[in-house]
Amino acid sequence: MTTSGIHHQKWLKAAVAGGLWASVEIIIGSFLHNMRIPFAGAVLASFGVMLMVAFNRLWPERGLIWRAGLVCALMKSISPSATLLGPMVGIFAESLVLEFFIRLFGRNIPSFLIAGGFAVMTAFAQKLFNILIIYGLNLVQIYTNLLDYVARQLGYQAADPWALIIILFSIYFGLGFLASLSGIIISTKVGTTGAVNLETPALDQRKIFAQSDVTKRYSVWLLALNIAAIPSGIILIGKADFILSSVTVLVYMSFMLWRYPYLYRRLLKPMIWVQLIILVLFSGVFYRSSDAGELVFSAQGLWVGVQMCLRAIVVISGFSGVSHEMSNPVVRQVLFSKGFSHVYTSVALAFKALPAILEMAPRPSVFFRQPLTSVAQMLNMADQLRVLMQKEQYQYQ
C-alpha cells in the first residue's frame, strides 16, 4: 500500500473510532448531565481513555488516537449546548496526551496505564484552567487565604494550598489508570461478545448540516468581535473603575442575550448568581488575611470579587458567542478547504453512521452496570463499520 493509501486508511479508522467515541460522549454525557453526577468530566474522560486504549490495541496505528480525538471533537461542534469550545478542546487535548505518552514509552501495558492516567488528568487541568480564565488569578489568593483560615481554626499552623490540588490530580490519575487497564482487558474480549450486525442508514450528512444551518444566523464579523471582546473586556475590568466596567459589561451582556437568546438558559440560572454572590462575599472577607488568623473584611477584596464576577460574565458570554459563530458554514468550509479534506471526509462519514451507532449501542444503565462488555460490544462494530464507511467515502472525494 502506498503512503497516501496508508494515510487514508488511518483517517478512515479514525472516523470509526471518533464516531464511536462521540456516541459514548452522547450516551454517557447526556445521562451524567441529567443526573447532575459529580466528576462528570472525569467519568467521560475515563470512558474515552478506555475506548481509545482498546482501539489502539485492536488497530495499532500510529496517530490513530489523536485523529479520532479530532473527529470526536469536531462532531461535538454541532451539539446544541451553549458551551462547546471547552468540551471540544478537552476531548482533543485528552487524545493528544494519550497519543504522546504511548509514543514516548511504546505500546506496552505500563505505557498504556501511564498514558491513561495523564490523559484523564487533563480533565481536571482543564477545569482549573477554565476557572482561572473565568475568574482570574485573584481567585488563587482567595483560595489560599480561605484554606489557611480553615487550617488555623482546626489548630494547624500552616496549610499547604497545593495539597488539595495534588490529591485531586492523584484521584484523576487513578481513574485514568483504571480506565486504561479496563481498555486493555476489553481488547482481549473483542470477538467474544457475539457478532454485531450493523447497517448504516442511507443518510446524507451534508444535507443534515445544511438543514441545521439555515435556521441560525451567523456573522464572521461577530466572530471577530467576540474573540476581541474577551481579552479587551478582561483588561478593561482590571483597569477601569466600577461604573465604566459595570456599564460596559451590562451593554455587552444585553447585546449577547439579544443576539444569542439561548444564553438566557445559562446566564439566568439562579445557581450561577448564587455562586457569584458567594464569591463576592468570600473575596471581601478572605482577599486579605490577618497574621492572627482573624477574619478581616476588605473593601478592596469586595471590589476584587465584583471584578471577578464581571470577568466571568464577559468570558462566559464571549466564548458562547465564539462557539456559535465557529459553526458558521462559511468558517467550516474555509477550514476544511485548506488541506483538511481527510478531516472533512472522516467527520462526514462518522456523522453519517452515528444514528446507526447510537441505535446499536447499549443504554446508559447497561454502560454503568457492565462497562467492559458494553465497550467491547461497540468495538465489535469497528471492522464492519470501517468496511461500510469505505464503500460510502467516494461521494465525499
Side-chain angles (χ1 to χ4, degrees), residues 45-270:
S46 298
F47 271 105
V49 165
M50 190 186 307
L51 187 63
M52 288 302 102
V53 167
F55 253 116
N56 194 259
R57 288 173 63 84
L58 176 66
W59 290 337
E61 301 279 352
R62 186 181 178 90
L64 173 66
I65 295 176
W66 75 260
R67 287 179 171 86
L70 180 60
V71 170
C72 181
L74 290 174
M75 292 179 74
K76 191 79 174 178
S77 68
I78 59 120
S79 168
S81 171
T83 54
L84 296 177
L85 289 181
M88 289 174 65
V89 171
I91 290 169
F92 190 46
E94 180 183 349
S95 68
L96 288 176
V97 171
L98 194 59
E99 181 85 40
F100 171 77
F101 281 100
I102 291 175
R103 288 196 187 190
L104 182 64
F105 297 114
R107 293 186 66 262
N108 51 68
I109 291 179
S111 173
F112 284 121
L113 298 177
I114 294 172
F118 280 106
V120 174
M121 280 174 61
T122 60
F124 182 55
Q126 184 191 9
K127 186 178 292 293
L128 285 179
F129 179 76
N130 289 343
I131 291 174
L132 291 178
I133 287 294
I134 292 174
Y135 297 110
L137 292 175
N138 287 324
L139 189 64
V140 176
Q141 184 171 347
I142 295 171
Y143 161 75
T144 302
N145 291 338
L146 174 61
L147 189 64
D148 184 64
Y149 173 76
V150 172
R152 289 174 184 269
Q153 300 306 306
L154 295 176
Y156 295 99
Q157 292 301 315
D160 184 0
W162 288 98
L164 181 59
I165 294 177
I166 293 174
I167 291 172
L168 289 173
F169 265 119
S170 301
I171 292 173
Y172 275 74
F173 184 89
L175 288 174
F177 186 96
L178 293 176
S180 287
L181 181 61
S182 300
I184 294 170
I185 296 172
I186 288 169
S187 66
T188 65
K189 295 170 67 68
V190 174
T192 64
T193 56
V196 178
N197 296 318
L198 178 65
E199 295 182 2
T200 306
L203 300 175
D204 189 337
Q205 185 57 37
R206 290 172 295 181
K207 291 182 180 179
I208 294 176
F209 268 130
Q211 291 172 358
S212 63
D213 287 339
V214 295
T215 60
K216 296 181 179 180
R217 297 181 300 163
Y218 297 102
S219 169
V220 175
W221 292 108
L222 282 180
L223 173 61
L225 173 65
N226 286 317
I227 291 175
I230 297 171
S232 301
I234 292 174
I235 294 172
L236 176 66
I237 293 168
K239 294 184 177 297
D241 58 22
F242 173 76
I243 295 178
L244 179 58
S245 299
S246 301
V247 171
T248 303
V249 172
L250 180 61
V251 171
Y252 178 65
M253 184 180 70
S254 299
F255 170 76
M256 295 295 285
L257 289 173
W258 169 77
R259 176 69 184 186
Y260 311 108
Y262 60 82
L263 268 177
Y264 280 107
R265 295 197 299 270
R266 186 175 189 196
L267 287 178
L268 299 185
K269 286 182 178 178

Side-chain angles (χ1 to χ4, degrees), residues 8-64:
H8 174 73
Q9 285 297 317
K10 283 184 179 180
W11 280 108
L12 191 62
K13 292 179 178 179
V16 176
L20 290 172
W21 189 353
S23 69
V24 171
E25 285 278 329
I26 293 171
I27 296 169
I28 303 299
S30 299
F31 176 80
L32 294 175
H33 176 75
N34 293 332
M35 298 298 294
R36 301 185 181 277
I37 295 177
F39 297 99
V43 175
L44 273 175
S46 298
F47 271 105
V49 165
M50 190 186 307
L51 187 63
M52 288 302 102
V53 167
F55 253 116
N56 194 259
R57 288 173 63 84
L58 176 66
W59 290 337
E61 301 279 352
R62 186 181 178 90
L64 173 66

